[in-house]
Amino acid sequence: MALETIRFDIQDFITTAERQAGYLEAALEDGDPDLIATAIADIREARRRNGSDPDAPEVTE
């Protein structure tokens, strides 16, 4: 019997500022610099996806 898997993307779950803060807080508590950097990158990507990143470049046509 084959193992059934599903796609998991953290950016689908850290869609609010509160969830992003909790995610980053957990990474900071762990203290691993690589994990912290990954969490920051994940948060930036989640903000880019939902249009809430204030540092994102503006799209002009």
Side-chain angles (χ1 to χ4, degrees):
M1 179 183 226
L3 177 65
E4 186 176 333
T5 60
I6 60 169
R7 178 185 164 279
F8 177 81
D9 191 345
I10 190 65
Q11 287 92 11
D12 294 337
F13 297 93
I14 55 171
T15 55
T16 65
E18 292 81 16
R19 289 182 178 186
Q20 293 168 4
Y23 181 56
L24 182 57
E25 184 178 330
L28 290 169
E29 286 177 5
D30 183 272
D32 179 9
D34 291 334
L35 182 60
I36 294 167
T38 299
I40 291 169
D42 288 340
I43 291 168
R44 181 176 276 302
E45 176 63 16
R47 288 180 176 180
R48 186 195 63 78
R49 283 186 189 182
N50 71 18
S52 66
D53 185 1
D55 297 326
E58 291 185 29
V59 177
T60 58
E61 294 189 33

